[in-house]
Amino acid sequence: MPKVTIKDVAAHAGVSVATVSAVVNDADWVTDATRARVRRAIAELGYRPNRVARSLKTKEAYAVGAIVSDITNPFFTEVIRGLSHALQETDRNLFLCDADHRFDLGDAHLDMLIEQQVDGLVIIGDSVREASLASYLRRRSHVPVVAIERDYTIDRVSCLLVDSEQGAYDATTHLVEQGFRRIALIAGPEEGAGSMTYGRATRTAGWRRALDNAGLPSSDDWVARGTFRYESGATAMRDLLSRPERPDAVFVANDMMALGAMHALHQMGLRIPDDVALIGFDDIPVSALVAPPLSTMAMPKRRLGRAAHELLRAHIEHGPGYDAVRRTFEATLQVRSSSLAPAPVIS
Amino acid sequence: MPKVTIKDVAAHAGVSVATVSAVVNDADWVTDATRARVRRAIAELGYRPNRVARSLKTKEAYAVGAIVSDITNPFFTEVIRGLSHALQETDRNLFLCDADHRFDLGDAHLDMLIEQQVDGLVIIGDSVREASLASYLRRRSHVPVVAIERDYTIDRVSCLLVDSEQGAYDATTHLVEQGFRRIALIAGPEEGAGSMTYGRATRTAGWRRALDNAGLPSSDDWVARGTFRYESGATAMRDLLSRPERPDAVFVANDMMALGAMHALHQMGLRIPDDVALIGFDDIPVSALVAPPLSTMAMPKRRLGRAAHELLRAHIEHGPGYDAVRRTFEATLQVRSSSLAPAPVIS
DNA sequence: ATTCTTATCGGAAACGCTTCCATAAGAGCG
DNA sequence: CGCTCTTATGGAAGCGTTTCCGATAAGAAT
């Protein structure tokens, strides 16, 4: 079965290729009679339009590219699911690239996606360096770009962020309200200085504001640092427990580390939340599954994905010269057992 | 900046488009001098070849499509990572589609991928019905297809499977060796009859063989069924515990359900493995993180992804008329705390 | 009956690239 | 020095679409 093209259909239906194209694209000038004839020919021959040829002509790829910093991270896959669904509804394909935390891979993928003429780009997490992206956008076609959970200060790049400071504040305040008084923090990598301005970096600020607000201490004696990965959470927890004064609660900057902390606590025979309470950030699916279920700040993951698509579509339709958008979403408190006051026993 | 095409480069370098094409594609007949000149023109203009145009001419998409039944499932994302990396090395793109357990979505994606002229297809998990795939392959271009963890009996479709029967046998035998005697099973959906022949379906067979082998009972009184999802594991566990005789160990057909079972056990105040031991299947990353760490049968996830790519590439290069391959991988026992004999206390 | 609209359709160019084939210029040869 | 043979390069067709514009036919208007 040699591929059947629009010409074959035209011949089979006894019309011109222009006409076939018209009925495929729902042009309004085709007679019902011929339309039916063409439709029948299409069905009989099993014709499917060739998107590649169409793209070449229309200069639309009917596809967007996405680069994600870590496809095995549950947080990101939820975002991708949201994006993917939205895309599917507008009949667009998704080029998905996994950078696996490697910037060189991210750059390589960026290259390919541009060559692939995608009509939009979404960057999820920290997968592409600011400099790489900026230089691409400057010297090459300026495709619309929207970033999720990554804060770029590049012209024409829209950013979808989560209000980490406020989220951290809410999480910590929740701990305060539950009666905890020695509230430690397991933060992400050292911020400030030359480091990039993640949303996450400000989680420390939110924690501090909440404690200041409650008249509780927020000195560096109460903070340990991790790398956002599971193991580093365990290490940080052990670090915290080895200090002179033991915390009775810990706010952890993301769930993966909180899970690690939980593991360390279990190992040392400490109970959660009775001995040490815990609250995380991200609300990855696993967090509800561990014992005890982990309290956390929930992010609108699917919505982030969908929003990225909507923005992209708006940018694409608007053509060059749109205004980059910068939108921040709220994280909402998700209370589970790990952060509850020990006094009134919860079943 | 209007897009710079091969013509612009040719003009700028004072050569023909054919020559530019030749140097881009590393043809061997170009003089070093002109090659250098063209290279410089390319650099100065920031030219990047248009893959769409190239694809139209060469009839190669330089991309493969993948349809995954659930992108939020950690098992699948590991497979995808393997696939993605392999693809990246051969300079091919990945169209990734999430079917979200919906066959209609899977079909829709199949449609788009075919229109997109991908040069290969990999189907991960149960995302596309056998009938849909068969009809596509019959009536349309026969692109190479390789399925992972899904057993198709379609001509020209290669399958990469895991030896579930043997894995289940090993898992159950491990339980026997640890001294457990009342070993229950939480299986997947009802098999046999008209249901499709998952690799997973044979996990029941492996469990049974191990018990028969050890002279232990393997009647239906010891088996509960789930849907491979977390909640169903909890339900099945409660079901099992409500029966006259309580099991002292359970082999669960996948980790997600095992996690659910674990949750149910915790809720009822039962200890693992002291009261009931547990072993799962898949070795998703979370399994190492829960308390107690879950024993499981590890699958070569990344290798599956890479193998899919290699097969696909072989099929593509061989052109039509290749022989479909059917390869099965071994699952290996991953012992953690959840399945250890309670007698000698483990730290 | 003639002209003018209007609705419906076909011809053909173009999108950016690859590739086959022709061609021009040297090189080698008797 | 004319000839062939090689080597480097350019011309042009064509991949499967879309789309502009012109052609045709039918009916309306005169």
Side-chain angles (χ1 to χ4, degrees), chain A:
Chain A
M1 23 232 78
K3 288 237 205 263
V4 19
T5 78
I6 199 174
K7 269 188 207 142
D8 302 319
V9 178
H12 192 267
V15 298
S16 75
V17 295
T19 307
V20 177
S21 176
V23 357
V24 168
N25 295 297
D26 288 321
D28 55 352
W29 52 261
V30 189
T31 308
D32 286 348
T34 53
R35 184 189 309 276
R37 207 144 41 92
V38 171
R39 287 252 167 78
R40 201 154 51 80
I42 288 177
E44 285 176 7
L45 269 54
Y47 166 74
R48 314 251 67 184
N50 181 332
R51 275 185 189 238
V52 174
R54 188 221 286 257
S55 290
L56 179 59
K57 184 64 193 174
T58 63
K59 272 125 173 27
E60 277 195 82
Y62 307 101
V64 318
I67 306 178
V68 59
S69 62
D70 181 1
I71 202 180
T72 67
N73 183 322
F75 172 75
F76 292 134
T77 56
E78 291 285 337
V79 174
I80 292 170
R81 167 156 285 175
L83 177 63
S84 167
H85 276 40
L87 245 18
Q88 204 274 335
E89 281 163 14
T90 56
D91 202 39
R92 249 183 253 268
N93 268 126
L94 206 221
F95 278 109
L96 210 240
C97 303
D98 172 33
D100 195 11
H101 292 293
R102 289 172 45 192
F103 289 125
D104 58 328
L105 272 186
D107 288 354
H109 286 137
L110 190 54
D111 236 60
M112 293 184 63
L113 291 174
I114 300 277
E115 287 187 10
Q116 203 52 260
Q117 314 291 116
V118 292
D119 19 55
L121 221 46
V122 9
I123 294 176
I124 310 174
D126 188 26
S127 45
V128 177
R129 275 176 296 227
E130 172 130 9
S132 306
L133 186 58
S135 104
Y136 259 95
L137 260 31
R138 200 168 349 99
R139 314 183 38 239
R140 304 254 338 117
S141 75
H142 37 78
V143 303
V145 178
V146 4
I148 298 179
E149 268 291 270
R150 176 68 165 87
D151 195 358
Y152 290 104
T153 54
I154 303 177
D155 208 34
R156 297 282 101 95
V157 174
S158 292
C159 297
L160 263 26
L161 303 163
V162 171
D163 191 343
S164 288
E165 202 275 345
Q166 183 63 38
Y169 176 87
D170 290 347
T172 309
T173 298
H174 161 68
L175 254 18
V176 172
E177 285 170 353
Q178 288 292 312
F180 300 105
R181 286 298 170 262
R182 301 186 307 279
I183 303 174
L185 164 72
I186 295 180
E190 188 77 47
E191 64 208 76
S195 105
M196 52 210 107
T197 57
Y198 272 108
R200 280 159 170 165
T202 62
R203 287 178 195 176
T204 299
W207 168 78
R208 202 176 298 275
R209 179 161 66 93
L211 292 187
D212 290 353
N213 208 43
L216 295 172
S218 64
S219 81
D220 283 353
D221 294 346
W222 293 110
V223 6
R225 295 200 172 279
T227 61
F228 286 125
R229 315 193 114 156
Y230 179 80
E231 300 77 15
S232 76
T235 310
M237 191 71 235
R238 278 187 285 264
D239 173 12
L240 243 26
L241 291 175
S242 71
R243 299 185 186 181
E245 207 178 358
R246 201 171 84 183
D248 58 1
V250 185
F251 164 57
V252 191
N254 81 333
D255 279 5
M256 277 321 266
M257 287 199 294
L259 261 20
M262 195 176 263
H263 180 67
L265 253 13
H266 275 136
Q267 268 189 328
M268 306 183 75
L270 263 22
R271 289 172 313 160
I272 306 167
D274 309 67
D275 295 316
V276 179
L278 237 39
I279 187 167
F281 208 115
D282 275 0
D283 193 26
I284 61 180
V286 209
S287 298
L289 311 185
V290 294
L294 179 69
S295 294
T296 187
M297 296 304 298
M299 318 260 274
K301 299 180 272 290
R302 305 250 178 122
R303 273 189 61 206
L304 281 169
R306 270 200 302 273
H309 172 254
E310 279 165 27
L311 248 183
L312 218 46
R313 206 158 63 105
H315 287 347
I316 292 170
E317 283 173 8
H318 187 292
Y322 58 85
D323 286 320
V325 170
R326 172 169 239 292
R327 195 164 143 205
T328 110
F329 292 76
E330 297 297 317
T332 61
L333 183 61
Q334 183 67 257
V335 179
R336 300 203 181 95
S337 324
S338 73
S339 65
L340 262 20
V345 176
I346 309 293
S347 74

Side-chain angles (χ1 to χ4, degrees), chain B residues 34-79:
Chain B
T34 52
R35 186 190 306 279
R37 209 143 43 91
V38 172
R39 286 253 166 79
R40 200 154 52 81
I42 287 178
E44 285 175 6
L45 270 53
Y47 167 74
R48 313 252 69 184
N50 181 331
R51 276 187 188 236
V52 174
R54 185 220 287 258
S55 290
L56 178 58
K57 183 64 192 177
T58 64
K59 273 127 171 25
E60 276 195 83
Y62 308 100
V64 318
I67 306 178
V68 57
S69 62
D70 180 1
I71 201 180
T72 67
N73 184 322
F75 171 74
F76 292 134
T77 55
E78 291 286 336
V79 174

Side-chain angles (χ1 to χ4, degrees), chain B:
Chain B
M1 23 233 82
K3 287 238 205 266
V4 20
T5 78
I6 199 174
K7 265 189 210 142
D8 302 320
V9 178
H12 192 267
V15 298
S16 75
V17 295
T19 306
V20 178
S21 175
V23 359
V24 169
N25 295 298
D26 287 321
D28 55 351
W29 53 260
V30 190
T31 306
D32 286 347
T34 52
R35 186 190 306 279
R37 209 143 43 91
V38 172
R39 286 253 166 79
R40 200 154 52 81
I42 287 178
E44 285 175 6
L45 270 53
Y47 167 74
R48 313 252 69 184
N50 181 331
R51 276 187 188 236
V52 174
R54 185 220 287 258
S55 290
L56 178 58
K57 183 64 192 177
T58 64
K59 273 127 171 25
E60 276 195 83
Y62 308 100
V64 318
I67 306 178
V68 57
S69 62
D70 180 1
I71 201 180
T72 67
N73 184 322
F75 171 74
F76 292 134
T77 55
E78 291 286 336
V79 174
I80 292 170
R81 166 156 286 175
L83 176 65
S84 168
H85 276 40
L87 243 20
Q88 205 273 334
E89 281 163 15
T90 56
D91 203 40
R92 250 182 251 270
N93 269 128
L94 206 222
F95 277 109
L96 210 242
C97 303
D98 172 34
D100 195 11
H101 293 292
R102 288 173 47 191
F103 288 126
D104 58 328
L105 273 187
D107 288 353
H109 286 136
L110 191 54
D111 236 60
M112 292 184 64
L113 291 174
I114 300 278
E115 287 186 11
Q116 204 54 258
Q117 313 292 116
V118 291
D119 6 73
L121 222 46
V122 9
I123 294 176
I124 309 174
D126 189 26
S127 45
V128 176
R129 275 175 296 226
E130 171 129 11
S132 305
L133 186 57
S135 104
Y136 259 95
L137 260 32
R138 201 170 343 102
R139 314 183 37 239
R140 304 255 336 120
S141 76
H142 37 78
V143 303
V145 178
V146 4
I148 297 179
E149 267 293 89
R150 176 65 164 89
D151 195 0
Y152 290 103
T153 54
I154 303 177
D155 206 35
R156 297 281 101 94
V157 174
S158 292
C159 297
L160 263 24
L161 304 163
V162 171
D163 192 343
S164 289
E165 201 275 344
Q166 183 63 38
Y169 175 87
D170 291 348
T172 309
T173 297
H174 162 68
L175 256 17
V176 171
E177 285 170 353
Q178 288 293 312
F180 299 105
R181 287 295 170 265
R182 302 185 307 279
I183 303 174
L185 165 72
I186 295 180
E190 186 78 48
E191 64 208 76
S195 105
M196 51 211 108
T197 58
Y198 272 110
R200 278 157 170 167
T202 62
R203 287 178 194 176
T204 299
W207 168 78
R208 202 176 299 274
R209 178 161 67 92
L211 293 187
D212 290 353
N213 208 42
L216 295 171
S218 65
S219 82
D220 283 354
D221 294 347
W222 293 110
V223 7
R225 294 200 172 280
T227 61
F228 285 124
R229 317 193 112 160
Y230 179 80
E231 299 76 15
S232 76
T235 311
M237 190 72 235
R238 278 188 282 267
D239 173 11
L240 242 26
L241 291 176
S242 71
R243 300 187 184 178
E245 206 176 359
R246 200 171 83 183
D248 58 3
V250 185
F251 164 57
V252 192
N254 81 333
D255 280 5
M256 277 320 266
M257 286 198 296
L259 261 20
M262 196 176 262
H263 181 67
L265 252 13
H266 275 136
Q267 268 191 330
M268 305 183 76
L270 264 20
R271 289 172 314 160
I272 305 167
D274 308 67
D275 295 317
V276 179
L278 237 41
I279 187 168
F281 209 115
D282 275 1
D283 192 27
I284 60 180
V286 209
S287 298
L289 311 186
V290 294
L294 179 68
S295 295
T296 187
M297 297 304 298
M299 317 260 275
K301 298 180 272 289
R302 305 249 179 122
R303 274 189 60 207
L304 281 169
R306 271 199 301 273
H309 172 254
E310 280 165 27
L311 247 182
L312 217 46
R313 207 158 63 105
H315 287 170
I316 290 169
E317 283 173 8
H318 188 291
Y322 58 85
D323 285 319
V325 169
R326 174 169 238 291
R327 193 163 143 206
T328 109
F329 293 75
E330 297 297 316
T332 61
L333 183 60
Q334 181 68 257
V335 179
R336 300 202 183 97
S337 325
S338 74
S339 64
L340 263 20
V345 176
I346 309 294
S347 74

